[in-house]
């Protein structure tokens, strides 16, 4: 695992530009073969999309550019430690390494607090803040049965 200071500086530059404009103070770049393949900044309020965090924006752009959902061989540089949603997206996209600058505690100090989400993960479903109720499992299992028998599926 090697890091490149210039990639992190670009992610930080994106976060500063975003903070100076209409986005949140977060930036991200994804690198493959020592070259930036995508950039992202926080666009939550610009697009009215709560999932438009810098990392997710950058992952979407990288996947589109590389025409794949698997970013193996790529490194991610984020101006801040990824939130739980972004961390999940990073794992799903199979990025090799994560580099970050600001910590989740730094983000918490400016009211980007993910501690509720982190605490919810360890709770039983029935104890979580947002009620979660299972329904129609037997009907929903039909899709899983079809998927498990499918011979031409693309696994991810």
């Amino acid at each position: 695992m090697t890091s490149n200071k210039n990639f992190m500086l670009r992610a930080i530059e994106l976060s500063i530009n975003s903070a100076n404009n209409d986005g949140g103070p977060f930036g991200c770049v994804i690198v493959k073969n020592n070259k930036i393949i995508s950039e992202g900044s926080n666009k939550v309020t610009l697009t009215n999309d709560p999932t438009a965090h810098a990392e997710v924006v950058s992952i979407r752009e990288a996947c589109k550019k590389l025409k794949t959902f698997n970013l193996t061989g790529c490194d991610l540089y984020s101006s801040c430690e990824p939130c739980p949603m972004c961390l999940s997206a990073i794992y799903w996209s199979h990025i090799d390494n994560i580099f970050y600058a600001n910590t989740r505690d730094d983000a918490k100090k400016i009211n980007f607090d993910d501690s509720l989400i982190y605490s919810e993960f360890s709770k039983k479903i029935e104890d979580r803040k947002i009620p979660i109720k299972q329904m129609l499992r037997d009907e929903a299992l039909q899709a899983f049965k079809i998927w498990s028998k499918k011979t031409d599926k693309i696994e991810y």
Side-chain angles (χ1 to χ4, degrees):
M1 172 171 40
T2 60
S3 65
N4 185 311
K5 180 180 170 183
N6 291 327
F7 298 142
M8 183 59 75
L9 287 171
R10 179 60 182 149
I12 292 168
E13 181 181 20
L14 290 165
S15 72
I16 292 168
N17 290 343
S18 186
N20 279 325
N21 292 296
D22 293 329
F26 305 96
C28 177
V29 298
I30 295 178
V31 175
K32 185 168 187 169
N33 298 325
N34 215 32
K35 184 176 161 188
I36 293 176
I37 58 165
S38 69
E39 297 183 340
S41 60
N42 183 284
K43 298 188 181 324
V44 170
T45 58
L46 287 171
T47 60
N48 292 318
D49 179 355
T51 68
H53 290 199
E55 296 90 340
V56 172
V57 169
S58 194
I59 288 169
R60 288 173 180 162
E61 183 180 321
C63 290
K64 187 176 180 180
K65 186 173 184 178
L66 297 176
K67 296 179 173 64
T68 183
F69 54 81
N70 187 323
L71 297 178
T72 298
C74 295
D75 295 328
L76 182 141
Y77 292 78
S78 178
S79 65
C80 188
E81 181 179 355
C83 75
M85 176 187 68
C86 292
L87 188 59
S88 296
I90 292 164
Y91 274 94
W92 275 110
S93 64
H94 303 281
I95 285 172
D96 290 356
N97 298 292
I98 303 167
F99 301 94
Y100 69 93
N102 293 320
T103 67
R104 70 172 90 161
D105 290 329
D106 296 327
K108 184 177 181 178
K109 289 175 187 171
I110 61 165
N111 295 320
F112 289 96
D113 185 4
D114 299 322
S115 56
L116 170 69
I117 299 169
Y118 283 109
S119 72
E120 289 288 290
F121 288 142
S122 62
K123 293 180 182 177
K124 294 179 183 175
I125 287 177
E126 60 270 13
D127 295 334
R128 292 184 182 165
K129 182 177 179 177
I130 298 174
I132 302 174
K133 297 180 178 24
Q134 184 180 27
M135 58 186 289
L136 300 177
R137 179 175 180 258
D138 289 339
E139 292 82 352
L141 280 174
Q142 183 63 31
F144 284 10
K145 289 174 185 173
I146 292 167
W147 180 259
S148 68
K149 293 176 185 170
K150 191 174 173 92
T151 57
D152 61 343
K153 62 186 165 206
I154 300 172
E155 296 193 24
Y156 55 97

